[in-house]
Amino acid sequence: MKESSFIVDLSTVIFEESLAQGIPEKLAISIANRTKEFIQNKYACDRVYINTLEKRERNIEVLKQWMNGIPKNTIARLHGLSVSTVNRIIAKELKIRSE
Protein backbone atom coordinates (compact mmCIF):
# COMPACT_ATOMS: atom_id res chain seq x y z
CA MET A 1 0.00 0.00 0.00
CA LYS A 2 1.30 3.48 -0.80
CA GLU A 3 2.37 5.74 2.05
CA SER A 4 0.07 8.51 0.78
CA SER A 5 -2.97 6.40 1.61
CA PHE A 6 -1.99 6.64 5.27
CA ILE A 7 -1.66 10.39 5.62
CA VAL A 8 -4.05 13.29 5.38
CA ASP A 9 -3.13 16.94 4.98
CA LEU A 10 -3.95 18.77 8.22
CA SER A 11 -5.45 21.78 6.47
CA THR A 12 -7.89 19.50 4.64
CA VAL A 13 -9.03 17.98 7.93
CA ILE A 14 -9.47 21.39 9.55
CA PHE A 15 -11.34 22.75 6.52
CA GLU A 16 -13.72 19.77 6.29
CA GLU A 17 -14.42 19.75 10.04
CA SER A 18 -15.02 23.51 10.02
CA LEU A 19 -17.59 23.12 7.25
CA ALA A 20 -19.21 20.24 9.12
CA GLN A 21 -19.55 22.52 12.16
CA GLY A 22 -21.36 25.13 10.07
CA ILE A 23 -18.53 27.60 9.65
CA PRO A 24 -18.85 29.53 6.37
CA GLU A 25 -16.56 28.28 3.60
CA LYS A 26 -14.43 31.45 3.34
CA LEU A 27 -13.79 31.44 7.07
CA ALA A 28 -13.10 27.68 7.06
CA ILE A 29 -10.47 28.17 4.35
CA SER A 30 -8.87 30.99 6.31
CA ILE A 31 -8.80 28.97 9.54
CA ALA A 32 -7.29 25.95 7.79
CA ASN A 33 -4.62 27.95 5.99
CA ARG A 34 -3.65 30.05 9.01
CA THR A 35 -3.41 26.97 11.23
CA LYS A 36 -1.25 25.17 8.69
CA GLU A 37 1.03 28.22 8.28
CA PHE A 38 1.37 28.55 12.05
CA ILE A 39 2.43 24.91 12.43
CA GLN A 40 4.81 25.11 9.47
CA ASN A 41 6.48 28.19 10.92
CA LYS A 42 6.61 26.91 14.48
CA TYR A 43 8.04 23.50 13.56
CA ALA A 44 10.00 24.53 10.43
CA CYS A 45 8.35 22.04 8.10
CA ASP A 46 7.10 22.22 4.52
CA ARG A 47 4.16 19.85 4.82
CA VAL A 48 1.81 19.12 7.69
CA TYR A 49 0.23 15.68 7.73
CA ILE A 50 -1.46 13.49 10.29
CA ASN A 51 -1.65 9.73 10.37
CA THR A 52 -4.97 8.19 9.56
CA LEU A 53 -6.43 5.62 11.93
CA GLU A 54 -5.55 2.90 9.43
CA LYS A 55 -1.84 3.65 9.72
CA ARG A 56 -2.04 3.90 13.50
CA GLU A 57 -3.71 0.50 13.69
CA ARG A 58 -1.04 -0.98 11.42
CA ASN A 59 1.71 0.45 13.60
CA ILE A 60 0.17 -1.00 16.75
CA GLU A 61 -0.13 -4.37 15.01
CA VAL A 62 3.55 -4.21 13.99
CA LEU A 63 4.55 -3.57 17.62
CA LYS A 64 2.34 -6.40 18.89
CA GLN A 65 3.80 -8.82 16.36
CA TRP A 66 7.34 -7.85 17.33
CA MET A 67 6.54 -8.17 21.04
CA ASN A 68 5.15 -11.64 20.32
CA GLY A 69 8.50 -12.69 18.86
CA ILE A 70 7.78 -12.46 15.14
CA PRO A 71 11.03 -11.60 13.30
CA LYS A 72 11.25 -8.10 11.88
CA ASN A 73 11.84 -9.35 8.34
CA THR A 74 8.62 -11.39 8.57
CA ILE A 75 6.69 -8.40 9.91
CA ALA A 76 8.08 -6.27 7.07
CA ARG A 77 6.98 -8.83 4.49
CA LEU A 78 3.50 -9.16 6.03
CA HIS A 79 2.90 -5.41 5.84
CA GLY A 80 4.79 -4.62 2.65
CA LEU A 81 7.39 -2.57 4.53
CA SER A 82 11.16 -2.47 4.71
CA VAL A 83 12.89 -3.73 7.84
CA SER A 84 14.13 -0.18 8.51
CA THR A 85 10.52 1.05 8.47
CA VAL A 86 9.56 -1.70 10.90
CA ASN A 87 12.41 -0.57 13.16
CA ARG A 88 11.18 3.06 13.02
CA ILE A 89 7.60 1.99 13.79
CA ILE A 90 8.70 -0.11 16.77
CA ALA A 91 10.85 2.71 18.17
CA LYS A 92 8.04 5.24 17.71
CA GLU A 93 5.40 3.01 19.28
CA LEU A 94 7.64 2.18 22.26
CA LYS A 95 8.24 5.90 22.78
CA ILE A 96 4.49 6.61 22.66
CA ARG A 97 3.85 3.90 25.24
CA SER A 98 6.54 5.24 27.57
CA GLU A 99 5.11 8.78 27.63
Side-chain angles (χ1 to χ4, degrees), residues 6 15 25 82-83 93:
F6 290 120
F15 172 72
E25 185 174 348
S82 68
V83 174
E93 290 300 319

Side-chain angles (χ1 to χ4, degrees), residues 10-97:
L10 180 62
S11 61
T12 301
V13 173
I14 293 170
F15 172 72
E16 290 174 354
E17 184 59 26
S18 296
L19 288 179
Q21 296 297 320
I23 294 174
E25 185 174 348
K26 280 182 138 180
L27 183 56
I29 291 170
S30 176
I31 291 168
N33 289 337
R34 290 180 70 193
T35 302
K36 184 176 181 177
E37 288 171 12
F38 170 79
I39 292 170
Q40 287 174 322
N41 291 331
K42 182 162 179 76
Y43 297 102
C45 58
D46 294 330
R47 295 175 289 179
V48 182
Y49 292 102
I50 57 174
N51 290 337
T52 63
L53 184 57
E54 184 178 303
K55 184 174 182 181
R56 182 80 180 111
E57 290 170 349
R58 182 212 56 197
N59 291 353
I60 291 169
E61 182 63 23
V62 165
L63 180 64
K64 285 180 184 177
Q65 290 170 333
W66 177 73
M67 291 176 80
N68 287 327
I70 297 174
K72 291 177 183 177
N73 62 335
T74 302
I75 296 169
R77 196 170 48 254
L78 288 170
H79 294 278
L81 304 169
S82 68
V83 174
S84 62
T85 299
V86 170
N87 286 330
R88 279 193 304 275
I89 290 169
I90 291 168
K92 182 179 177 181
E93 290 300 319
L94 288 174
K95 183 179 178 187
I96 290 169
R97 287 181 178 219

